[in-house]
């Protein structure tokens, strides 16, 4: 797994260690105090009063006397809510890079305006969390056991005692389902889902999906591989389990599919290869994990990588294994793959 974090290969730890294997490639080893409206990039969420109820993807229903104002969320969830006009108070998960810039998973959020409880796997400052007087904690789930993403196992009980939690599943389904769930959640939190920016983004998503379907239909012979790089290993994701890849496949994209037996070490998400064997699968387009915990294509120096036909042809694009679940942020994921298919030549 990525870096030295391939230790403790529990199912949960396996999913977490971050970039090397990009979800699907690996989910690898690795509000405002008063509920006032705040600009979240797509208009402001109108303050709501009265009781609030939301049933999450564990089947658990959270009931509060009023709509949550002090929201703490996984960074990617906070970024999605921001796109809908809902400002979270605190975040946990990859938020800033080592240089202090916003992490790719932070989207358009102003990271200087949120309290960061932890910036890496295993980091979650419970004392800071308590000080925020949280109304609710919201995150995603990458398994069918209802495990809350980036909530440390050792602190789960303490965290649960401070506020109720909401989990949105991003496990073994197409991306359209969690997109709708995040839409429903944002709406329940007071977001204006009729705002032009919001409805336009959804229309752009639908148009991008149609474009990708057409591109895949026009070039069914092109093979696409989803990969992620660490110093020691290269990870190849299968489409099963990953919300983005399952959807792209449903639209007709022809993916490299490692056999299930080869993905056992990766919890069913991916196959790990030594760099000497990085040419095991033939691909015309390679999608590479864009998370900060993965080595980016421009920084890969392995000779075997540079010899791959898709790399030599310049047919390498970015992939977001943990998509920000707003329509606005998912449009580029569809568009970049469609464009790559439209332009790519058969090289494998």
């Amino acid at each position: 797994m990525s870096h030295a974090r391939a230790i403790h290969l529990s199912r949960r730890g396996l999913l977490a260690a971050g970039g090397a294997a990009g979800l699907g490639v690996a989910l690898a080893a690795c509000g405002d105090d008063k509920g006032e409206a705040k600009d979240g990039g797509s208009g402001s969420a109108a303050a709501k009063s009265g009781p609030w109820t939301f049933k999450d993807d564990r089947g658990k229903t959270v009931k509060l006397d009023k709509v949550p104002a002090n929201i703490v969320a996984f960074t990617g969830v906070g970024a999605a809510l921001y796109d809908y006009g809902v400002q979270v108070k605190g975040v946990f998960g990859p938020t800033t890079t080592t240089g202090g810039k916003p992490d790719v998973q932070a989207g358009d959020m102003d990271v200087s305006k949120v309290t960061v409880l932890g910036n890496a796997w295993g980091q979650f400052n419970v004392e800071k969390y308590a000080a925020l007087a949280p109304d609710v904690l919201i995150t995603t789930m990458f398994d069918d056991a209802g495990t809350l993403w980036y909530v440390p196992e050792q602190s789960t009980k303490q965290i649960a005692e401070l506020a109720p939690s909401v989990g949105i599943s991003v496990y073994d389904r197409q991306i359209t389902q969690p997109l709708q769930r995040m839409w429903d959640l944002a709406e329940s939190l007071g977001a204006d889902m009729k705002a032009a920016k919001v409805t336009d983004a959804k229309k752009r998503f639908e148009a991008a999906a149609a474009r990708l379907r057409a591109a895949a239909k026009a070039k069914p012979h092109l093979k696409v591989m989803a990969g992620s790089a660490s110093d020691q290993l290269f990870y190849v994701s299968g489409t099963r389990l990953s919300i983005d890849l399952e959807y792209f496949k449903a639209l007709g994209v022809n993916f490299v599919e490692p056999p299930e037996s080869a993905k056992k070490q990766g919890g069913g998400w991916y196959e790990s290869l030594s760099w000497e064997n990085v040419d095991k699968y033939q691909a015309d387009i390679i999608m590479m994990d864009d998370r900060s915990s993965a080595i980016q294509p421009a920084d890969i120096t392995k000779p075997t990588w540079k010899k791959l036909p898709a790399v030599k042809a310049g047919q390498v694009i970015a992939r977001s294994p943990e998509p920000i679940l707003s329509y606005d942020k998912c449009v580029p994921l569809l568009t970049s793959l469609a464009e790559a298919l439209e332009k790519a030549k058969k090289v494998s």
Side-chain angles (χ1 to χ4, degrees):
M1 284 305 72
S2 75
H3 319 209
R5 291 179 286 179
I7 50 177
H8 307 313
L9 292 183
S10 64
R11 179 184 178 89
R12 179 176 168 78
L14 184 67
L15 289 178
L23 267 53
V25 147
L27 276 159
C30 206
D32 178 271
D33 290 357
K34 301 177 182 178
E36 296 172 351
K38 267 202 173 182
D39 185 5
S42 61
S44 297
K48 278 190 173 184
S49 58
W52 182 78
T53 300
F54 190 84
K55 185 175 181 180
D56 77 358
D57 290 339
R58 297 170 295 181
K60 294 186 177 182
T61 300
V62 177
K63 296 181 179 181
L64 299 174
D65 293 336
K66 60 180 181 178
V67 176
N70 294 350
I71 302 169
V72 173
F74 172 67
T75 302
V77 171
L81 292 175
Y82 181 89
D83 284 351
Y84 291 130
V86 178
Q87 176 70 52
V88 302
K89 193 168 185 179
V91 295
F92 53 95
T95 307
T96 58
T97 64
T98 52
K101 294 181 179 180
D103 188 272
V104 65
Q105 295 190 62
D108 293 331
M109 273 197 308
D110 184 343
V111 297
S112 69
K113 293 184 178 180
V114 294
T115 298
V116 181
L117 304 178
N119 200 54
W121 180 256
Q123 296 178 1
F124 191 112
N125 190 312
V126 180
E127 289 73 24
K128 279 188 177 182
Y129 180 57
L132 291 176
D135 293 323
V136 67
L137 178 149
I138 308 172
T139 187
T140 48
M141 301 180 297
F142 284 96
D143 61 26
D144 54 7
T147 306
L148 297 177
W149 189 235
Y150 265 78
V151 175
E153 290 176 283
Q154 67 272 19
S155 306
T156 298
K157 186 176 180 180
Q158 288 176 279
I159 293 168
E161 289 173 346
L162 293 168
S165 60
V166 167
I168 300 297
S169 180
V170 287
Y171 176 75
D172 195 17
R173 61 201 62 204
Q174 294 179 26
I175 197 171
T176 46
Q177 187 173 343
L179 270 173
Q180 183 60 51
R181 293 292 286 145
M182 192 62 69
W183 175 287
D184 295 340
L185 177 61
E187 186 172 35
S188 77
L189 293 169
D192 180 3
M193 308 314 283
K194 294 182 179 179
K197 193 169 184 179
V198 173
T199 56
D200 287 351
K202 190 170 185 178
K203 289 176 183 176
R204 288 189 291 109
F205 177 88
E206 292 164 352
R211 179 181 176 183
L212 179 54
R213 186 190 296 276
K217 185 176 181 179
K219 294 186 176 179
H221 57 292
L222 293 184
K223 203 79 171 177
V224 180
M225 179 167 69
S228 184
S230 71
D231 184 55
Q232 298 298 320
L233 297 170
F234 182 82
Y235 304 88
V236 179
S237 176
T239 57
R240 193 178 71 83
L241 305 183
S242 298
I243 57 172
D244 60 330
L245 302 185
E246 285 198 10
Y247 185 54
F248 299 158
K249 183 178 181 180
L251 292 176
V253 179
N254 183 13
F255 280 98
V256 166
E257 296 281 8
E260 292 302 312
S261 58
K263 296 190 293 179
K264 284 185 178 179
Q265 184 186 6
W269 292 88
Y270 60 91
E271 176 182 4
S272 55
L273 301 172
S274 66
W275 282 102
E276 289 73 19
N277 296 315
V278 74
D279 60 353
K280 178 177 179 178
Y281 298 106
Q282 298 297 305
D284 303 295
I285 297 170
I286 303 176
M287 304 175 69
M288 291 296 289
D289 186 346
D290 69 354
R291 293 176 299 172
S292 55
S293 48
I295 298 176
Q296 296 306 301
D299 299 319
I300 300 175
T301 59
K302 308 292 184 181
T304 49
W305 163 259
K306 294 182 178 181
K307 291 179 182 178
L308 293 177
V311 176
K312 292 171 70 174
Q315 295 176 177
V316 177
I317 63 172
R319 175 196 171 213
S320 298
E322 294 185 62
I324 293 172
L325 296 172
S326 71
Y327 286 102
D328 179 70
K329 293 300 180 293
C330 287
V331 169
L333 311 184
L334 295 164
T335 302
S336 64
L337 182 52
E339 187 175 80
L341 285 168
E342 292 163 355
K343 295 180 177 180
K345 297 179 180 179
K346 183 71 176 175
V347 295
S348 63

